[in-house]
Amino acid sequence: MGGTAVVVGGGIGGLAAALGLRRIGWDVRVVERSGTLADAGAGISLHANGLRALDALGVGAAVRAAARPQYTGGTRTPEGRWLARMDGAALERALGTPIVGIRRAVLHRLLREALPAESLLIGVSVPTLDRSAPDRVGVPTGDGVLDADLVVAADGVGSRLRGLLFPDHPGPVYAGSTVLRAVTDRPLDLRTDFELTWGRGAEFGHIGFRDGRAEWHAVLTAPPGVRHADPLGMLRRRFGGWHDPIPALLDATRPQAVLHHDIHELVTPLRSFVAGRVVLLGDAAHAMTPNLGQGACQALEDAATLAGALATQPSVASALARYDAERRPRAQAVARAARQAGRMGQQLSRPTAVALRNTALRLIPSRVALRAILRHADWTPPSLD
């Protein structure tokens, strides 16, 4: 079964969806409202499920070649005491790969380069959809209307299309935390591939990249909308007394490189990821907090699952029903788990609660921690060959 699809949103999930659809013989156009087709994020960790999805989509080898495996690291206190160690080698034995770290811009470029340039329409907004026909969708682009058998709404956490399809849904809500992040301007001699440090109402972490540079992020419990005239100076004051290499990471960063975003999530689950011939994917369907590092991985799972369903089901309707049945329970369960992880991590601020959490983490056997990661990362994509 082939057809014509329009993907609204040119982020990681949208590009991955386009790759999957093209791989099974569909004609695809990606429509992105931004004037530049690039990802504005800093860095990302990809677990085995995300890497397996990328394998199915045909770009796994290229992503692995550009990424840095995460074998060493873990979770620490602001003073530097280890609460839990990460065993990347054990993950590799269990899943065939460790977690890897990669710049979001590099991942985005690799996905983009795997698509024909003429399939990408940038600087084009999609304010509405024409769903008057039972088996076709009209996508107005300003210069005309794209006629599609299928529309993939991958337009992010603030999805306009989700609001059109499900007007009674309350939409995303502020998760109570804000994140500042950047990529260092130069390589650093880091002793670990990945770290998280939990303080009271604050988290600082880093991901090492293949070129020696690193992404760092700082998550703070704060009201929404708070911004700082000197974000890097604020972070140096807030985290200056924390263990190495946190001060060094901040010192290796240009002030203009710091990004600041409030974290929003879909707390109210959608009743469906499908409305007629329109399917929701990625953050538009299940925006979650970043506490498990699964947001992009779940979007990649969406893309591979959608392509697999369309390749094997007798009709678009039955394929979308299968996609919804497979993806909605899993993605919404991961979102709930991420929310709970945040409550037990950076969002804790009472000294007693922090102390209890830290003690519990130190006492958890490594095999139990490994099983917790496997619960979400051990996923097998459909074959798209």
Side-chain angles (χ1 to χ4, degrees):
M1 176 180 60
T4 301
V6 174
V7 178
V8 180
I12 289 171
L15 294 176
L19 281 175
L21 292 170
R22 279 185 53 82
R23 197 167 179 85
I24 61 169
W26 280 58
D27 179 43
V28 186
R29 305 296 292 274
V30 178
V31 180
E32 168 57 45
R33 66 181 176 181
S34 173
T36 57
L37 197 57
D39 192 282
I44 189 171
S45 290
L46 292 173
H47 293 245
N49 54 321
L51 290 167
R52 290 173 179 174
L54 289 165
D55 288 335
L57 297 171
V59 292
V63 171
R64 284 183 173 86
R68 173 173 166 172
Q70 295 176 1
Y71 287 109
T72 60
T75 306
R76 304 171 77 176
T77 69
E79 298 75 28
R81 184 177 182 184
W82 288 100
L83 297 173
R85 298 267 191 170
M86 180 180 69
D87 190 345
L91 273 175
E92 188 170 37
R93 289 192 296 271
L95 296 172
T97 178
I99 302 169
V100 303
I102 189 170
R103 289 192 65 179
R104 292 183 70 98
V106 172
L107 175 59
H108 194 278
R109 174 178 56 79
L110 293 172
L111 295 172
R112 190 172 67 244
E113 289 177 348
L115 292 167
E118 61 270 19
S119 69
L120 307 175
L121 302 178
I122 64 172
V124 176
S125 294
V126 178
T128 189
L129 298 173
D130 179 0
R131 297 194 294 143
S132 57
D135 57 354
R136 306 289 291 174
V137 182
V139 183
T141 65
D143 293 330
V145 177
L146 298 175
D147 191 39
D149 299 298
L150 172 69
V151 169
V152 179
D155 51 342
V157 59
S159 171
R160 179 183 295 176
L161 297 186
R162 182 185 59 233
L164 291 174
L165 300 172
F166 300 100
D168 296 332
H169 189 274
V173 299
Y174 182 56
S177 302
T178 192
V179 58
L180 296 92
R181 53 167 68 93
V183 175
T184 61
D185 200 39
R186 61 179 185 271
L188 289 90
D189 184 18
L190 298 172
R191 297 182 180 179
T192 57
D193 302 314
F194 169 85
E195 284 187 18
L196 287 180
T197 300
W198 282 341
R200 294 174 55 188
E203 170 187 302
F204 197 100
H206 77 253
I207 300 170
F209 296 143
R210 186 173 287 277
D211 65 1
R213 292 189 296 169
E215 182 260 13
W216 57 259
H217 72 265
V219 185
L220 302 170
T221 302
V226 174
R227 294 297 182 266
H228 305 272
D230 179 12
L232 199 54
M234 180 275 295
L235 292 170
R236 287 190 175 115
R237 292 188 295 272
R238 180 68 177 80
F239 295 99
W242 288 31
H243 65 81
D244 292 333
I246 292 172
L249 287 162
L250 295 174
D251 287 342
T253 303
R254 292 180 293 112
Q256 58 268 36
V258 179
L259 305 172
H260 189 174
H261 298 100
D262 292 338
I263 299 173
H264 291 81
E265 60 172 330
L266 288 186
V267 173
T268 302
L270 285 167
R271 65 178 183 272
S272 177
F273 287 177
V274 174
R277 288 295 184 102
V278 185
V279 58
L280 293 167
L281 182 145
D283 283 350
H286 46 69
M288 62 189 68
T289 63
N291 303 94
L292 294 178
Q294 276 288 332
C297 291
Q298 291 302 304
L300 294 170
E301 284 190 23
D302 290 346
T305 301
L306 176 61
L310 288 165
T312 56
Q313 292 296 303
S315 68
V316 172
S318 62
L320 297 187
R322 175 177 165 182
Y323 168 83
D324 184 60
E326 290 188 11
R327 291 302 308 144
R328 186 158 47 88
R330 174 167 164 80
Q332 290 175 348
V334 174
R336 289 193 299 271
R339 187 179 310 123
Q340 184 60 34
R343 291 171 180 165
M344 296 304 295
Q346 160 264 325
Q347 292 181 3
L348 286 184
S349 59
R350 293 175 52 196
T352 303
V354 171
L356 287 172
R357 187 270 318 281
N358 290 354
T359 299
L361 272 179
R362 286 193 292 266
L363 294 176
I364 292 175
S366 59
R367 65 182 182 279
V368 175
L370 180 63
R371 282 202 301 269
I373 296 175
L374 295 179
R375 184 181 308 125
H376 306 301
D378 193 7
W379 173 86
T380 301
S383 173
L384 303 184
D385 295 327

